[in-house]
Amino acid sequence: MRAPLSWLREFTPVEGKPEEIARALSFLGLVVEGTEVIGAPLPGVVVARVLETRAHPAADRIQLVDVDLGDGEALQICCGAFNMKPGDLVPLATLGTVMPNGMEIARRKMRGEWSNGMLCSAPELELGEEGGEKGIYVLPTSAQPGSPVADVLGLGPDVVFDIEVGPNRSDCFSVAGVARDLAAALGLPFSLPEPPRSVDPLVARAEVSLAPGAEALCPRFTGTVLEGVQAAAVPALVRRRLSLAGMRPISPVVDVSNYVMLELGQPNHPYDLALLGGGGLVVRRARDGEELVTLDGVARRLSERDLVIADGTGAAVGVAGIMGGTSCEISASTTTVLLEVANFDPLAVAATGQRLGLHTEARTRFERGVDIELADRAVDRFAQLLGPGARRGVTTDVGRGLPARPPVRLRVGRVNQLLGTELSAEACRRLLGPLGFVARPDGPDAFSVTVPSWRPDCSREVDLVEEVARVHGYENIPRRMPPRPARATSLSPHQRARRRVRELLAGTGAHEAWTATFVSADELAACALDPGEALELENPLDQSQGLLRTSLLPGLARAARFNRERQAGAMALFELGSVFRRPEVGGTAREASGDRPVEGVDEREQLGVLAVGDGAGATWAVQAFEVLRRGLALSQARLAPAGPSTWPGAAAFHPGRVAAVMVGERAVGLVGEVAPDVAERYDLPGRAGLVLADLVPLLRAADGRREAAPVSRYPATDLDLAFEVGEEVSADELGRALSTAAGGLLTDVALFDVWRGAPLGPGRRSLAFRLRLRSAERTLTEADVAEVREAAQRAAHALGAALRQG
Amino acid sequence: MNAIEQAVERGRALIGAATTPAELQAAHSEAFGRRSALAAMTAALRDLGPEERRERGRELQEARAELTDLYTARAAELEQAAALDRARAERLDLTEQVWSMAGAGGPLARSLGAPVPAGHLHLVTQVRQEVEDIFIAMGFEVAEGPEVEDDWHNFEALNMPLHHPARGMFDTFYLRAGEPESVLLRTHTSPVQVRLMESRRPPIYAVAPGRCFRRDTPDATHLPVFHQLEALVVDEGISMSHLAGALDAFTDAFFGPGRRARLRPSFFPFTEPSAEFDVTCWVCGGAGCRTCAGSGWVELGGCGMVDPAVFSAVGVDPERYTGFAWGLGIDRLAAARTNLGDIRDLLDNDVRFLTQF
């Protein structure tokens, strides 16, 4: 909303620097996004009185005019127009004036006679078409010769405030509304002049009606016939203000229509009555599939949910409250206008506007709720601005109106409770009054407040509290720390563990990335992920961002490639973030629904680590995972050999180099090497390591509280055992078997040597474990050690592993 | 069985029997090559009359097509098998690494690995954690909610019924799931307020950091994916002066002593009264500079007293409880803290950027 200061000043005598006014507006919630200072138009053009007109001795298409600029001296001008007579006041462009078209006025001879300036027509001064190119613009007789024409026409310098109006304030989509708020905040008087109402009984009464089914969406509809509008002349001021407010002056009727909307906030629509079939208007619901070409030239397809304005024959001529049609548009030949000033249901206008994708000034106002009592004033103002040449008929007013709005009870205690202030009852009443709220005492320290019709946004006590606060000034509300909650807080165990995950991964040298949530089907496919599992956006920014990521891999791989392209060396990146799947696709996803509760969506928190470059690969990934597992004491989690479809997205891993993250019997992630084809598609060099896991179940694998165990005072004995075992038995199986078999004396176990090659046959390897044995009660004997050794040997044998003697 | 059928039969057998790429190549030559039966029959076409030639030519064409399909399918099978073989050949028992590491850092450790310089947490994470800690110290808990939301939590319960013009303040990404426009990417962290109040009774003192989404074209100060910090306090006797006080306390803790918050009236459907809040410009300290366009203040977020309609939607008694809420941009804080000119740098994950913080 662009509000010129001169226009605001018609309603309240605001003074002061533009930036101070802008600040006052901003602190009312009417945020000023820009302040433009506009100079006076037409510098150098002054009022001149015609003294005498004389024939040019050497030309008959121009004449000589003597004018007086107020100093009593006659100044000779050559002029091509003949419409002025002695005594007329006319605009004179003095010497040195630069005309709007760029021409500079200089003293020059025309056919031997001096011309000391130029008398101007309205179009030459860009003051409208009045009088045409050939007629000099004759000014009102009250003008003072010698004074600037801009002053005479009320076109002084101005300031335009570009105000962002919130969706709640329909009333401030008008200059008068902004002025009312501003006056309240600055403690200035505010007045909205009553335009006169002069009805010509000879003018026909407008034929307007509501069709059944339309009443609910149209609480009020008025029609007024105005005859003789071709004679209307709108003041230069109206056109200038429209321009300053950002609207192009078009023709007197259209200009007045826009002016009334901007000034009062009441959208309205003039129809050319001669073009209106049946000579009247009917408000009705559209028929399903009905089409209408709106003023912007677009054919609009409507439905029964939309409201249209139709002519007397039933043909639609406009979409109610949004935009008119082309059929009855005002033109230069329009003589009689049927003016529609109505009120439409805000939600219905919003819904239709959304469906049609049509944003208009009318919709902006109607969908926020227009003052239902504004129509009469708007019609009067419309007629007033058209001038006495147009004859206005009696207004037909239909619709059942809106239910009366009950007064709102305002408790002073509630005001102070919500704001933390100590305002008195009188102070509250005084703050609300200038906005049009009438507060009558209603019991001790309470008011019954009548809400003005232009504030449909205020219907509850709390709305009034905001009004009190606004006018009082938010900056005048005292500041206090909120009370401390009764219970101390900390991060949740999951949140704490998540922070630890980040720290542990950073400890491995990996950097944290933040990758995009949106991916394309191609990106998923490049990562061997099934795009069919992904949720699709209805309205993506572009098709390359049409899906929600089902895995962190595409983002991490993209980031790795981005860095490789910039000569980055070996690097590891990690991310913790949400991934999304359709729950109905993919057996594993269905079995474990996401962490989060929206139906139709399997959203879960994923952990992803991608390592590329020398030294990356499956081994790095396993080591990084082990850092996490042990750093977080995830004793319920372990890595186990993975089958082909243990967990969604397994195809992104090298099938021979992947292990499953098992929590109990359930796989919650995979650790290993990026599948060669995926690595190739992202230009990842060598072997890339990858960890992907569901974070929530993974972190649940942590030990709960640990009990302290006493540390043994007795010496330990290390037992080194090497086994020859086939590749089909994993180190994990053997290690676990040994641990179980070693029993209560075992405190630590680790694999310390792996050997493949002679003298072992193909498919065989040697795994050497060190078992540390210790008792809390005594020094171990050889018999103890022998017993463990035998048990370990038996357990290994059961797996087909033979103890190597040596 | 005619000669063509015999040739197809034989080709099928050859292709099916091939177990290596070389064998498959040989089968291909034998079935299609110059000396194959099909080639001979094709050559013989010219001796036939036009009618018969057309008929026979079509049959030969079909035979070739059938064999080509078989060949392509078999080639893919062999390629897949070869990939599996390679995978098998490259197979590693990753659990060896697990059990080898079992000694590291414990009593069985045989040697220390080389220490590596630690990696960096993302700037946004660092700022988020710092902000969380400030509020934890003030007694707030840290709450979370889903990024994909339903209409109820993102809009309706926040006093924005369907078609409410305030919905236009948020350019929403919708998902193709469920009813049209019923499932969406949350446009703010405010739905976490609703989830918190639905899940328990006041008092509630919580902040909710998280990722949000708006259909904005990315530029130096806007990303379609961004991070917000929601705050919600609901208790008896909470007023707007507490809101201003809490914002001051945060501003002071994050930006340093003497920095304060300023409230300006605004509109949000889920708060009443509503405000925008600005903080003292972090660059000039309030004197006026380019960052704050000379005003000495920089806008950081929106806030207000929880609207009674929101309380009603979640079943909290608005007469007994009052509360405040706000949302502020974490990325904005990160940019402020580091004087970051283009917020899009946060999304590139350029290691040269990540390792600066």
Side-chain angles (χ1 to χ4, degrees):
Chain A
M1 172 78 202
R2 289 169 56 89
L5 179 59
S6 68
W7 207 343
L8 290 169
R9 284 176 52 81
E10 299 223 337
F11 308 105
T12 184
V14 55
E15 298 285 353
K17 291 190 187 141
E19 52 270 28
E20 282 165 8
I21 297 169
R23 194 184 135 88
L25 286 167
S26 290
F27 277 80
L28 279 165
L30 299 169
V31 178
V32 175
E33 298 194 310
T35 305
E36 284 170 47
V37 177
I38 313 282
L42 314 176
V45 182
V46 299
V47 179
R49 182 194 305 280
V50 177
L51 298 173
E52 189 188 356
T53 60
R54 295 175 281 130
H56 191 290
D60 46 7
R61 302 184 82 171
I62 52 179
Q63 61 172 339
L64 300 177
V65 184
D66 290 331
V67 298
D68 168 21
L69 298 186
D71 54 9
E73 299 218 358
L75 192 65
Q76 175 175 299
I77 313 288
C78 297
C79 182
F82 295 86
N83 64 320
M84 67 297 239
K85 54 183 191 304
D88 279 353
L89 296 172
V90 294
L92 172 74
T94 53
L95 300 179
T97 299
V98 178
M99 296 298 289
N101 68 6
M103 179 181 75
E104 188 175 338
I105 305 297
R107 181 164 190 263
R108 60 189 179 119
K109 261 190 176 159
M110 299 173 83
R111 297 269 176 117
E113 292 287 339
W114 284 106
S115 184
N116 298 296
M118 185 175 97
L119 300 181
C120 308
S121 68
E124 278 166 341
L125 297 175
E126 295 192 346
L127 292 174
E129 300 305 315
E130 204 177 317
E133 293 284 345
K134 288 291 158 207
I136 296 303
Y137 189 15
V138 178
L139 298 165
T141 50
S142 57
Q144 195 62 40
S147 57
V149 164
D151 286 0
V152 173
L153 298 175
L155 311 178
D158 214 331
V159 179
V160 180
F161 301 105
D162 191 358
I163 299 171
E164 189 196 338
V165 182
N168 56 331
R169 293 298 301 275
S170 57
D171 63 313
C172 283
F173 275 99
S174 73
V175 175
V178 170
R180 185 187 289 113
D181 261 35
L182 188 60
L186 299 177
L188 296 170
F190 168 83
S191 72
L192 193 55
E194 284 296 334
R197 178 171 304 172
S198 51
V199 174
D200 184 336
L202 297 178
V203 175
R205 191 186 172 92
E207 304 272 343
V208 300
S209 61
L210 295 179
E215 300 95 333
L217 303 185
C218 181
R220 188 172 185 194
F221 194 92
T222 74
T224 309
V225 174
L226 294 123
E227 288 180 356
V229 300
Q230 72 279 12
V234 303
L237 183 62
V238 165
R239 284 191 298 269
R240 169 151 158 106
R241 284 188 179 157
L242 286 178
S243 300
L244 291 179
M247 295 190 103
R248 201 165 51 88
I250 293 169
S251 68
V253 172
V254 175
D255 292 351
V256 164
S257 167
N258 287 330
Y259 193 88
V260 167
M261 176 182 70
L262 291 173
E263 180 172 84
L264 301 175
Q266 171 70 62
N268 56 82
H269 194 89
Y271 300 84
D272 186 332
L273 188 60
L275 301 178
L276 202 56
L281 295 173
V282 181
V283 187
R284 64 164 170 84
R285 283 178 186 268
R287 288 180 288 273
D288 267 332
E290 184 170 359
E291 279 205 9
L292 168 69
V293 179
T294 42
L295 275 174
D296 52 2
V298 179
R300 309 280 175 177
R301 208 178 164 75
L302 305 169
S303 83
E304 266 180 3
R305 288 169 295 180
D306 304 316
L307 197 65
V308 294
I309 313 298
D311 68 15
T313 69
V317 294
V319 183
I322 301 181
M323 194 182 263
T326 49
S327 57
C328 320
E329 217 177 320
I330 299 298
S331 69
S333 54
T334 302
T335 60
T336 307
V337 158
L338 197 165
L339 174 65
E340 164 201 323
V341 179
N343 204 284
F344 300 104
D345 178 65
L347 285 182
V349 170
T352 295
Q354 266 170 34
R355 269 199 296 281
L356 300 181
L358 246 177
H359 293 273
T360 63
E361 296 276 345
R363 174 186 162 189
T364 299
R365 290 168 176 78
F366 279 126
E367 71 182 5
R368 287 162 173 80
V370 167
D371 180 359
I372 189 138
E373 285 167 24
L374 195 52
D376 304 315
R377 176 187 294 276
V379 175
D380 292 346
R381 184 71 171 132
F382 192 102
Q384 181 190 24
L385 286 165
L386 274 186
R391 299 177 304 281
R392 172 240 173 116
V394 66
T395 296
T396 313
D397 192 347
V398 296
R400 57 185 180 208
L402 287 176
R405 301 174 72 201
V408 178
R409 194 173 145 83
L410 178 69
R411 294 162 296 172
V412 177
R414 182 70 171 170
V415 172
N416 290 321
Q417 181 195 11
L418 273 170
L419 301 181
T421 46
E422 286 168 14
L423 294 170
S424 66
E426 177 52 23
C428 292
R429 200 189 56 78
R430 229 179 24 236
L431 289 165
L432 285 172
L435 295 176
F437 294 89
V438 180
R440 292 182 192 81
D442 179 15
D445 279 338
F447 292 106
S448 168
V449 180
T450 305
V451 177
S453 57
W454 58 84
R455 289 304 299 272
D457 58 309
C458 289
S459 57
R460 307 167 302 169
E461 183 179 44
V462 67
D463 300 326
L464 301 182
V465 173
E466 181 176 71
E467 294 308 296
V468 169
R470 260 184 350 111
V471 182
H472 179 58
Y474 282 11
E475 281 301 281
N476 297 322
I477 294 173
R479 291 168 185 233
R480 291 184 197 95
M481 274 295 278
R484 291 194 70 84
R487 292 181 56 188
T489 50
S490 65
L491 290 174
S492 71
H494 180 71
Q495 290 166 339
R496 227 184 344 255
R498 185 159 53 197
R499 285 198 180 182
R500 184 100 178 102
V501 168
R502 289 193 161 99
E503 282 153 19
L504 287 168
L505 286 172
T508 67
H511 305 302
E512 189 186 12
W514 156 22
T515 72
T517 302
F518 305 133
V519 295
S520 67
D522 287 349
E523 273 181 287
L524 290 177
C527 289
L529 298 164
D530 176 8
E533 288 186 359
L535 286 155
E536 219 178 321
L537 284 176
E538 183 67 52
N539 53 343
L541 275 173
D542 60 67
Q543 277 313 317
S544 71
Q545 308 181 58
L547 302 177
L548 298 192
R549 61 184 180 188
T550 57
S551 162
L552 298 178
L553 177 58
L556 290 171
R558 201 200 297 179
R561 178 171 56 196
F562 179 92
N563 281 294
R564 295 291 303 181
E565 285 166 357
R566 285 155 184 78
Q567 295 95 38
M571 97 197 84
L573 296 171
F574 75 93
E575 181 171 8
L576 275 63
S578 290
V579 298
F580 312 84
R581 269 185 221 110
R582 293 172 187 278
E584 68 271 22
V585 188
T588 29
R590 183 205 301 269
E591 158 225 327
S593 73
D595 309 334
R596 302 276 164 75
V598 173
E599 210 174 305
V601 180
D602 175 352
E603 174 176 345
R604 51 182 79 194
E605 199 177 355
Q606 194 173 74
L607 155 70
V609 190
L610 176 66
V612 299
D614 273 2
T619 303
W620 195 94
V622 169
Q623 287 169 339
F625 179 79
E626 281 300 298
V627 165
L628 277 186
R629 193 180 66 83
R630 292 168 59 185
L632 292 155
L634 304 176
S635 62
Q636 314 299 311
R638 62 189 180 86
L639 288 182
S645 62
T646 323
W647 194 72
F653 287 83
H654 186 303
R657 298 186 168 189
V658 59
V661 180
M662 302 300 295
V663 174
E665 291 307 302
R666 180 175 157 211
V668 303
L670 294 170
V671 178
E673 186 177 304
V674 176
D677 51 333
V678 174
E680 197 183 307
R681 285 193 281 267
Y682 280 91
D683 289 325
L684 304 182
R687 299 185 178 276
L690 180 60
V691 179
L692 291 173
D694 287 334
L695 194 63
V696 172
L698 177 65
L699 294 182
R700 281 206 199 108
D703 287 334
R705 263 168 58 177
R706 281 196 173 238
E707 300 218 351
V711 176
S712 170
R713 292 184 287 114
Y714 297 94
T717 303
D718 286 353
L719 179 59
D720 288 357
L721 300 172
F723 297 92
E724 182 185 334
V725 61
E727 297 281 3
E728 69 286 356
V729 178
S730 71
D732 187 55
E733 285 170 274
L734 184 54
R736 285 196 291 149
L738 295 177
S739 305
T740 312
L745 295 180
L746 184 78
T747 61
D748 299 278
V749 56
L751 179 65
F752 71 90
D753 188 49
V754 180
W755 173 253
R756 288 182 174 80
L760 309 175
R764 310 289 291 172
R765 84 250 208 234
S766 163
L767 299 176
F769 286 90
R770 173 164 295 168
L771 284 65
R772 174 156 290 185
L773 309 175
R774 198 194 306 256
S775 159
E777 283 115 32
R778 59 194 169 81
T779 305
L780 296 183
T781 64
E782 278 187 27
D784 291 325
V785 177
E787 202 179 306
V788 169
R789 182 189 170 91
E790 252 170 60
Q793 194 175 355
R794 271 198 307 277
H797 186 77
L799 289 173
L803 184 66
R804 298 179 76 201
Q805 308 297 332
Chain B
M1 191 185 283
N2 67 26
I4 294 182
E5 283 165 355
Q6 277 175 14
V8 170
E9 195 56 34
R10 177 158 167 71
R12 182 181 293 139
L14 284 168
I15 289 170
T19 54
T20 65
E23 284 174 23
L24 186 62
Q25 202 44 52
H28 184 268
S29 312
E30 198 159 344
F32 296 102
R34 261 183 300 157
R35 273 188 279 274
S36 66
L38 284 180
M41 284 185 270
T42 308
L45 282 178
R46 62 172 161 246
D47 301 333
L48 302 174
E51 194 73 1
E52 212 179 340
R53 187 191 306 168
R54 194 175 311 117
E55 177 62 17
R56 191 115 171 118
R58 192 183 49 76
E59 285 174 27
L60 280 168
Q61 202 60 42
E62 283 169 5
R64 264 178 194 283
E66 186 182 343
L67 285 177
T68 307
D69 286 351
L70 283 170
Y71 170 79
T72 318
R74 185 64 186 156
E77 272 172 40
L78 288 181
E79 174 51 39
Q80 212 172 355
L84 264 178
D85 280 350
R86 277 199 300 278
R88 212 167 287 139
E90 290 187 350
R91 188 185 163 279
L92 290 180
D93 177 4
L94 297 183
T95 66
E96 286 174 8
Q97 195 55 49
V98 175
W99 284 81
S100 300
M101 270 192 84
L108 291 181
R110 282 146 54 102
S111 68
L112 291 174
V116 291
H120 293 252
L121 299 193
H122 198 281
L123 173 60
V124 170
T125 299
Q126 294 185 37
V127 171
R128 169 180 164 163
Q129 292 186 353
E130 181 182 340
V131 173
E132 286 173 354
D133 290 343
I134 291 170
F135 285 103
I136 289 169
M138 285 165 66
F140 288 54
E141 67 185 289
V142 178
E144 291 169 26
E147 292 174 13
V148 170
E149 267 295 1
D150 49 35
D151 187 79
W152 167 257
H153 290 94
N154 199 76
F155 289 126
E156 186 119 23
L158 291 167
N159 197 22
M160 279 180 279
L162 203 62
H163 300 307
H164 192 289
R167 287 189 177 206
M169 294 159 69
F170 308 98
D171 286 319
T172 311
F173 283 113
Y174 290 99
L175 294 182
R176 290 207 177 130
E179 294 288 303
E181 306 207 340
S182 66
V183 182
L184 46 88
L185 285 163
R186 66 174 173 192
T187 55
H188 47 178
T189 41
S190 304
V192 185
Q193 286 183 34
V194 178
R195 291 188 178 277
L196 269 171
M197 291 191 278
E198 279 175 341
S199 67
R200 62 184 148 96
R201 299 292 92 191
I204 295 172
Y205 291 76
V207 287
R211 206 177 264 206
C212 306
F213 305 83
R214 284 187 202 170
R215 220 172 157 281
D216 285 333
T217 311
D219 63 29
T221 55
H222 293 90
L223 290 174
V225 180
F226 59 98
H227 299 88
Q228 259 192 358
L229 180 93
E230 191 80 8
L232 176 69
V233 168
V234 182
D235 203 345
E236 292 176 13
I238 297 295
S239 73
M240 202 154 166
S241 77
H242 294 131
L243 164 61
L247 281 172
D248 265 353
F250 164 70
T251 309
D252 179 273
F254 189 82
F255 290 107
R259 306 298 159 102
R260 60 190 294 274
R262 175 176 87 166
L263 300 184
R264 285 181 287 114
S266 186
F267 170 75
F268 303 104
F270 33 96
T271 48
E272 188 85 8
S274 300
E276 302 274 356
F277 68 92
D278 308 328
V279 297
T280 312
C281 177
W282 46 78
V283 176
C284 63
C289 68
R290 260 182 42 205
T291 301
C292 57
S295 71
W297 298 93
V298 181
E299 185 177 326
L300 214 55
C303 60
M305 300 300 292
V306 178
D307 195 289
V310 176
F311 280 145
S312 301
V314 295
V316 169
D317 177 3
E319 280 295 312
R320 177 166 172 205
Y321 293 106
T322 48
F324 66 74
W326 76 66
L328 63 83
I330 299 179
D331 312 325
R332 199 87 206 274
L333 291 179
R337 173 55 66 78
T338 58
N339 231 341
L340 177 64
D342 191 334
I343 208 159
R344 284 170 292 194
D345 290 348
L346 293 174
L347 255 176
D348 277 343
N349 300 305
D350 191 318
V351 173
R352 294 166 297 174
F353 179 79
L354 296 177
T355 53
Q356 289 174 27
F357 309 105

